[in-house]
């Protein structure tokens, strides 16, 4: 298809193989460090660095808030970046070393004279990491409308990005603990530090390839025009792209709801396997099966072409909601539980990548409506802020619910009331919130239909300018 949504993809909108490969590496590069931090830093702080559990929990919540608040700032910085490399692309080059360096510093056990100083070290570097990683994650969403204006190309690119994320996450999840054992021997402090250094180095190499392989288009400064300077957008001007941008508002709500459900599901799974199914060891297998999302990620462009973005979005979300409920009705049959867990993942393979593809469409709508092109702000707030806030709330809901139902961490077997709480946290919260997110998806349908007209008019405006 061309920019108007009909016919073949024209030469300008076609992203070359190198660019597609580089974009897939944005997910892989990010997850090599983000998965290690997300999956193991709490364990490292409490079990290796021996920090206070309550203080570490408070830090996790505070860092999420900082990330959510910092995302709009990252977006505005991107919108006001004008270099010979473009707007979003140079941030990969600028931020990969700082993010990787702080990742390594996170896995150093501080050895100051006082416990307060040791805790201050961890607080400082984890909050710094939480802020810095936004500046290398937000460009991946912000750059998408600058790579192509074609909806099908954007969907394909997001599928590749999410495929790369799954591979990066799988590498980190599968390799970290074995590497800690091999590199550290019986010294977990040494093992985690060297493993973090290895993952960070691999991430840097991947981001250098990303920077080298991507090229921005679509009305932004490129390498052929190194002396052209575009006027910077003020914060007030950037926010004009949000005013009246109802599809963006809908996507913002959908993203929050989607990540509440996803994080409640992912955080609650270990409690469900340990206490409801009495087999905690199967949690590792369940988490490994998250990579089955690659199947629907690969099929996503086909489904979008056949039934459209919104219908595919709704299909994936309903699949995940239905599968969560069916896990409960599977009883103690672990095989059947894992089958429905896979179905839930297949649904996520449709729904999560489409969030980032549709954000790019709302950038076009914002420019069409207000005349302001602010991909950084719209991506930073619409994807990153909503992701961080929703994910943080989803992760927090699990312990809150468990505490409310009388869960005891020291009990071998939980009470019937506590087991009900585990079902609420792991089954019903994700299922209900997934279904709630379908409501704004239905309202988004009419804006998807407007897409071809908006792209055609934007193309004409840009040509005239």
């Amino acid at each position: 298809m061309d920019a108007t949504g009909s016919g073949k993809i024209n030469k300008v909108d076609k992203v070359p193989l190198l660019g597609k490969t580089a974009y897939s590496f944005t997910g892989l590069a990010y997850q090599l460090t983000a998965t290690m931090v997300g999956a193991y830093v709490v364990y490292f702080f409490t079990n290796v660095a021996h920090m206070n559990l309550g203080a570490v929990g408070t830090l996790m919540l505070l860092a999420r808030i900082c990330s959510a608040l910092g995302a709009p700032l990252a977006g505005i910085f991107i919108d006001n970046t004008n270099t010979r490399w473009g707007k979003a692309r140079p941030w990969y080059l600028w931020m990969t070393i700082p993010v990787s360096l702080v990742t390594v510093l996170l896995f150093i056990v501080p050895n100051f004279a006082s416990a307060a100083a040791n805790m201050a070290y961890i607080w400082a570097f984890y909050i710094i990491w939480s802020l810095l990683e936004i500046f290398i994650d937000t460009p991946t969403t912000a750059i998408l409308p600058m790579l192509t204006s074609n909806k099908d190309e954007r969907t394909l690119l997001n599928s590749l990005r999410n495929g790369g994320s799954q591979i990066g996450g799988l590498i980190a999840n599968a390799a970290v603990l074995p590497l800690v054992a091999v590199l550290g021997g019986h010294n977990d402090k040494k093992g985690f530090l060297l493993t973090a250094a290895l993952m960070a180095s691999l991430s840097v190499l991947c981001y250098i390839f990303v920077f080298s392989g991507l090229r921005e288009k679509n009305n932004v400064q490129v390498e052929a025009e190194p002396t052209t300077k575009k006027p910077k957008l003020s914060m007030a001007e950037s926010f004009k792209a949000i005013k009246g941008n109802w599809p963006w508002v809908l996507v913002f709500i959908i993203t929050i709801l989607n990540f509440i459900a996803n994080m409640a599901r992912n955080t609650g799974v270990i409690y469900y396997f340990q206490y409801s199914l009495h087999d905690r060891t199967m949690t590792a297998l369940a988490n490994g099966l998250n990579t089955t999302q690659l199947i629907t990620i690969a099929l996503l462009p086909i489904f979008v072409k056949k039934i459209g973005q919104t219908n595919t979005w709704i299909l994936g979300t309903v699949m995940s909601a239905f599968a969560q409920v069916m896990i409960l009705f599977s009883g103690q049959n672990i095989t059947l539980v894992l089958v429905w867990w896979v179905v839930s993942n297949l649904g996520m393979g449709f729904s999560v990548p489409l969030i980032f593809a549709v954000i790019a469409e709302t950038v076009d709508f914002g420019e069409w409506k207000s005349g302001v092109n602010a991909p950084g702000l719209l991506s930073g707030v619409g994807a990153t802020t909503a992701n961080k806030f929703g994910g943080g709330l989803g992760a927090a809901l699990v312990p809150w619910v468990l505490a409310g139902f009388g869960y005891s961490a020291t009990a071998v077997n939980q009470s019937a009331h506590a087991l009900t709480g585990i079902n609420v946290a792991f089954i019903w919260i994700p299922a209900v919130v997934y279904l709630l997110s379908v409501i704004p998806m239905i309202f988004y349908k009419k804006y998807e239909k407007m897409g071809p007209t908006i792209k055609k008019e934007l193309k004409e405006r840009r040509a005239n300018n």
Side-chain angles (χ1 to χ4, degrees):
M1 291 186 177
D2 61 15
T4 67
S6 61
K8 294 182 177 180
I9 301 174
N10 62 45
K11 188 175 181 179
V12 173
D13 281 319
K14 184 74 173 176
V15 179
L17 179 60
L18 177 61
K20 289 173 179 172
T21 305
Y23 196 72
S24 73
F25 267 67
T26 59
L28 188 148
Y30 178 73
Q31 292 301 334
L32 286 173
T33 52
T35 297
M36 181 172 181
V37 172
Y40 297 106
V41 79
V42 172
Y43 175 84
F44 177 81
F45 287 166
T46 58
N47 288 48
V48 180
H50 302 295
M51 297 296 163
N52 178 269
L53 183 60
V56 171
T58 302
L59 172 59
M60 296 298 110
L61 178 60
L62 178 62
R64 285 281 188 173
I65 294 172
C66 290
S67 294
L69 295 177
L73 184 63
I76 291 170
F77 279 13
I78 291 169
D79 288 333
N80 286 292
T81 298
N82 290 293
T83 73
R84 64 192 182 94
W85 300 312
K87 286 179 172 289
R89 182 183 163 214
W91 288 90
Y92 294 123
L93 187 64
W94 297 337
M95 297 306 299
T96 183
I97 296 295
V99 171
S100 294
L101 177 60
V102 176
T103 299
V104 176
L105 293 174
L106 275 179
F107 288 93
I108 292 177
V109 177
N111 190 27
F112 297 111
S114 70
N118 291 334
M119 183 60 73
Y121 173 94
I122 282 178
W123 274 62
F125 280 107
Y126 189 71
I127 291 174
I128 291 170
W129 184 89
S130 299
L131 291 172
L132 287 180
E133 62 92 14
I134 296 171
F135 286 85
I136 205 163
D137 186 29
T138 301
T140 300
T141 306
I143 201 173
L144 186 58
M146 306 176 199
L147 298 177
T148 177
S149 61
N150 183 269
K151 181 178 71 175
D152 293 333
E153 282 287 274
R154 288 174 176 177
T155 300
L156 175 59
L157 286 168
N158 265 293
S159 295
L160 293 170
R161 170 196 179 178
N162 279 273
S165 294
Q166 291 295 321
I167 294 170
L170 178 62
I171 291 171
N173 273 319
V176 167
L177 291 180
L179 283 172
V180 168
V182 171
L183 298 177
H186 297 291
N187 185 339
D188 280 352
K189 295 179 182 180
K190 178 182 176 183
F192 270 103
L193 176 60
L194 294 178
T195 301
L198 177 60
M199 290 294 178
S201 299
L202 291 173
S203 180
V204 169
L205 293 175
C206 289
Y207 271 122
I208 290 173
F209 172 67
V210 168
F211 173 80
S212 302
L214 292 179
R215 293 294 183 273
E216 294 183 12
K217 308 170 190 173
N218 282 359
N219 201 34
V220 296
Q221 184 180 352
V222 295
E223 293 180 20
E225 303 170 316
T227 60
T228 303
K229 293 290 182 182
K230 302 189 80 174
K232 290 187 175 183
L233 288 174
S234 67
M235 185 176 293
E237 288 172 326
S238 295
F239 274 93
K240 287 180 182 178
I242 294 178
K243 185 178 180 181
N245 193 338
W246 290 110
W248 180 88
V249 173
L250 292 171
V251 175
F252 181 75
I253 295 170
I254 292 165
T255 304
I256 289 176
L257 292 174
N258 210 282
F259 278 91
I260 288 174
N262 291 345
M263 285 303 297
R265 169 187 181 273
N266 293 340
T267 304
V269 63
I270 189 170
Y271 299 99
Y272 191 80
F273 274 89
Q274 180 170 349
Y275 297 108
S276 297
L277 301 179
H278 308 290
D279 193 346
R280 190 179 70 173
T281 61
M282 296 301 291
T283 306
L285 176 59
N287 286 332
L289 289 172
N290 288 345
T291 56
T292 55
Q293 293 178 33
L294 288 169
I295 297 170
T296 39
I297 288 172
L299 295 173
L300 183 58
I302 298 172
F303 274 78
V304 169
K305 284 184 178 181
K306 292 290 184 182
I307 64 175
Q309 279 183 329
T310 309
N311 288 333
T312 306
W313 214 358
I314 293 172
L315 172 64
T317 305
V318 171
M319 282 174 61
S320 294
F322 180 72
Q324 286 299 118
V325 176
M326 291 307 298
I327 287 173
L328 180 62
F329 286 102
S330 299
Q332 298 294 309
N333 188 330
I334 292 182
T335 300
L336 196 54
V337 167
L338 291 174
V339 168
W340 287 113
W341 176 259
V342 169
V343 173
S344 182
N345 275 299
L346 293 175
M348 291 172 65
F350 280 142
S351 60
V352 175
L354 278 172
I355 289 173
F356 302 100
V358 174
I359 280 287
E361 303 296 312
T362 69
V363 172
D364 290 340
F365 186 94
E367 183 181 357
W368 175 76
K369 181 80 173 178
S370 66
V372 177
N373 182 269
L377 176 67
L378 294 181
S379 301
V381 179
T384 309
T385 296
N387 175 339
K388 302 296 183 185
F389 180 75
L393 183 55
L397 280 171
V398 173
W400 289 345
V401 169
L402 295 184
F405 278 82
Y407 168 83
S408 172
T410 58
V412 176
N413 296 304
Q414 299 295 328
S415 67
H417 196 51
L419 290 174
T420 300
I422 292 172
N423 289 342
V424 169
F426 174 64
I427 301 292
W428 295 113
I429 287 178
V432 171
V433 176
Y434 277 135
L435 292 177
L436 285 175
S437 72
V438 171
I439 298 172
M441 289 178 189
I442 293 171
F443 284 100
Y444 182 82
K445 271 190 175 184
K446 74 172 185 177
Y447 296 107
E448 181 184 1
K449 294 176 182 177
M450 295 170 61
T453 301
I454 290 171
K455 287 180 173 60
K456 182 179 179 182
E457 292 186 14
L458 283 178
K459 187 177 181 181
E460 291 172 354
R461 287 186 201 174
R462 291 164 179 165
N464 291 334
N465 291 333

